[in-house]
Amino acid sequence: MDCGTVIGSVYVYDTYAQASPLMDSEEIDLAPIWKSVEKSVRKSSEVRMSIYRRLRTINELFRVGRESYSVYRAYDCMSFIARAFGIGNEYVEEAKTILKRILANKGSVTYYEAAVAAMLYVILSHNLPVSTKQVISMCKSKGHKLTFEAIRDSLTGIGVKYSLRDRVLSYIRSGLVKLFGDSWVTIYPEAEKFLNSLKRSVIQSRSPPILAAAVIYCVSKELGYKLRVEDVARAVQVSQYTLRDYARKLCNN
């Protein structure tokens, strides 16, 4: 099962009483209903609008008011992402809470987009070694349509803003903690100042881990710490060879 299976199911719902006359396990033959609706829709644009408004109301009620079939498929989607990148189940549980917040926002986001956005929020907030590009690329490789803009809009709707700069800083903070322990707090402000001095084009030219590792190396060198490239690369989990070439260029600038 993968993210492409996040779809909605058909509900029989009384929009006036706001309750379903059926138990979750019950089914009925909807063919006569659809034929009647199709006939009415073809005759009147007013009927089309009325049906659209009621279906939209039903959709919003089920999105927020109960854990529908689609929500469970969204949960499966998040579990699929977690397994693909070796992310623990505790992060999936946290992502479920974020998913509900996104769906309650009543935006135009789909369950699929909300599921991916929720997982990315957890990945970013906990600085897990998985990039946004990796997640989106993995979904696209499965034939699913997904854009960074859709994910960003999903998170923005609940007051979460994705920033490349924040992502780099999270890698810097993590690397400094591994290298300096509690002393990281005295070096971090200088690292942040160094990052702010870089042009936007420079920040966007490299992956967040590589840029963060290079900033750590340059700032540590300026402050008189004798760190080896190998140590910084190991702390941030990047290639020492890539870091060595890039750090030299960045430090000289």
Side-chain angles (χ1 to χ4, degrees):
M1 184 177 297
D2 56 43
C3 297
T5 60
V6 180
I7 57 177
S9 51
V10 176
Y11 301 100
V12 178
Y13 198 81
D14 184 342
T15 55
Y16 294 98
Q18 296 190 355
S20 172
L22 304 176
M23 299 296 290
D24 288 344
S25 60
E26 290 185 293
E27 297 182 1
I28 63 171
D29 181 11
L30 296 177
I33 298 176
W34 294 132
K35 289 181 180 179
S36 175
V37 170
E38 184 178 9
K39 185 176 180 181
S40 299
V41 167
R42 288 179 177 177
K43 288 184 178 180
S44 171
S45 59
E46 184 178 345
V47 172
R48 284 198 296 271
M49 287 302 299
S50 176
I51 291 176
Y52 170 75
R53 285 193 294 268
R54 291 193 180 190
L55 288 175
R56 186 169 182 176
T57 299
I58 292 171
N59 179 63
E60 295 301 333
L61 286 169
F62 274 104
R63 280 167 67 97
V64 180
R66 58 176 284 179
E67 292 195 340
S68 66
Y69 176 78
S70 295
V71 172
Y72 284 115
R73 301 306 286 270
Y75 290 166
D76 288 335
C77 174
M78 292 188 291
S79 296
F80 172 76
I81 293 174
R83 289 194 301 271
F85 294 103
I87 298 173
N89 189 61
E90 66 273 19
Y91 297 111
V92 178
E93 293 302 314
E94 182 178 342
K96 289 180 180 179
T97 303
I98 304 301
L99 173 70
K100 292 176 182 177
R101 287 177 57 191
I102 294 174
L103 296 179
N105 190 52
K106 298 184 178 180
S108 59
V109 61
T110 65
Y111 283 94
Y112 168 44
E113 292 169 346
V116 178
M119 280 304 299
L120 277 174
Y121 172 82
V122 173
I123 288 170
L124 295 171
S125 61
H126 289 281
N127 194 32
L128 301 180
V130 181
S131 69
T132 303
K133 184 177 180 180
Q134 285 178 304
V135 175
I136 293 179
S137 296
M138 185 272 293
C139 291
K140 286 185 176 180
S141 71
K142 298 296 182 180
H144 312 319
K145 294 182 179 179
L146 185 69
T147 64
F148 172 76
E149 288 71 23
I151 298 302
R152 181 190 59 198
D153 292 344
S154 299
L155 296 177
T156 301
I158 60 172
V160 177
K161 294 183 179 180
Y162 172 76
S163 167
L164 181 59
R165 177 181 174 277
D166 290 341
R167 181 65 164 161
V168 175
L169 285 173
S170 67
Y171 276 105
I172 290 174
R173 187 162 49 248
S174 174
L176 288 176
V177 169
K178 293 177 181 178
L179 291 165
F180 295 98
D182 293 339
S183 299
W184 76 273
V185 294
T186 62
I187 306 171
Y188 181 77
E190 295 302 318
E192 185 174 12
K193 187 184 301 182
F194 187 95
L195 179 64
N196 291 338
S197 70
L198 301 178
K199 295 181 180 179
R200 184 176 180 180
S201 59
V202 175
I203 295 177
Q204 294 177 336
S205 66
R206 295 285 176 171
S207 68
I210 284 291
L211 179 57
V215 170
I216 291 173
Y217 181 79
C218 293
V219 170
S220 300
K221 188 176 179 181
E222 288 180 0
L223 295 176
Y225 292 97
K226 296 181 179 180
L227 286 180
R228 298 185 305 167
V229 170
E230 293 87 342
D231 296 331
V232 179
R234 191 180 305 110
V236 190
Q237 297 183 336
V238 297
S239 166
Q240 60 175 299
Y241 305 105
T242 303
L243 175 59
R244 181 177 285 108
D245 294 337
Y246 185 58
R248 287 173 180 171
K249 296 177 182 177
L250 194 66
C251 292
N252 291 334
N253 291 337

